[in-house]
Amino acid sequence: MTMLPVILSSNTNTQIMGIVNVTPDSFSGDGVAMDVSAARQQALQMIQDGAAIIDIGGESTRPGAKAVSVDEECSRVIPLIESLRQDSDVCISIDSQKPGVMQAAIDAGANMINDVMALQADGALEVASQFDGPICLMHMQGAPDTMQDAPSYDDVVTDVYCFLEQRIAACEAAGIASKRLLVDPGFGFGKMPEHNRLLVKHLNRFTELGCAVLLGVSRKSTIGHVLDADVDQRLAGSLALAVLAVTKGARVIRTHDVRDTVDAIRITEWMNNES
Ligand code: PT1
């Protein structure tokens, strides 16, 4: 069952990617801590609320997070993927940078790869080239445990653009058709608030890469920085950025708050209609 998803065709609406973290330490209090049945319920609710994609992650990549082993990560995500696949033919995305986890997830029924390392890990391009679903290539400077120590760029938009362009080329060289690729500038990944601001402000530049643009801003610390708001008080800020991103050409929005994001984006699309 491989739907080459709607997200890659240019005449579809914005797609919502709902976040399901199966981690004990998820930053936004959304970690459903290894409980497959609670995570499954959360995913089913997101599907009902209008998510086209469920993004399942077993290793936190928020600032300061520590890496976990392949076995640990698999033990968190695989039972959930198997269970959700029985219930639904929704697009299931595996949020992992490890080829071993990607492969196990695909075998369990995942049909999209979301990689914050843009397939730079040893063996990741190979796993991706043996698979035929969509792949999101994200930009990150450094690694999660230290990426916020001193992020620096010559010109953040150009630097991130060139990185993504090179990763698209690496994928093509590995036999991965660019129509399967999505690109993501990686809001919050080795970036100061000003870097994040510039990436969203100039998000339309990334559409020139010829791939669908995905953005994840949900509850992130830059919103907390601007609003002086704790993680549970960042919904309105997250929605404001999601609306802006769609207006600037984003095709997929990754969020914890599916229902509210679907509503905000439906209104944005209604307003952006021709005439
Ligand atoms: C993202 C993303 C992701 N974000 C994609 N995958 C996370 N494609 C995980 C903070 O500053 O944006 N795109 N997978 C979560 N990562 C973070 C990063 C969480 C920063 C929080 C922050 O608070």
Side-chain angles (χ1 to χ4, degrees), residues 27 61-63 95 114 136 138 184 188-189 214 216 220-221 254:
F27 87 102
T61 51
R62 79 185 195 288
D95 183 355
N114 173 26
C136 179
M138 199 198 79
D184 180 343
F189 285 87
L214 185 154
K220 286 186 181 175
S221 55
R254 182 181 183 276

Side-chain angles (χ1 to χ4, degrees), residues 42-91:
Q42 189 188 0
L44 293 175
Q45 184 64 52
M46 286 176 166
I47 295 166
Q48 214 175 19
D49 289 344
I53 307 166
I54 300 297
D55 192 38
I56 297 179
E59 175 181 78
S60 175
T61 51
R62 79 185 195 288
K66 298 271 183 286
V68 302
S69 71
V70 174
D71 286 351
E72 174 64 29
E73 201 176 324
C74 281
S75 75
R76 296 177 183 182
V77 298
I78 300 303
L80 174 60
I81 294 170
E82 284 172 345
S83 160
L84 187 60
R85 182 48 82 219
Q86 305 236 304
D87 300 317
S88 168
D89 62 4
V90 72
C91 180

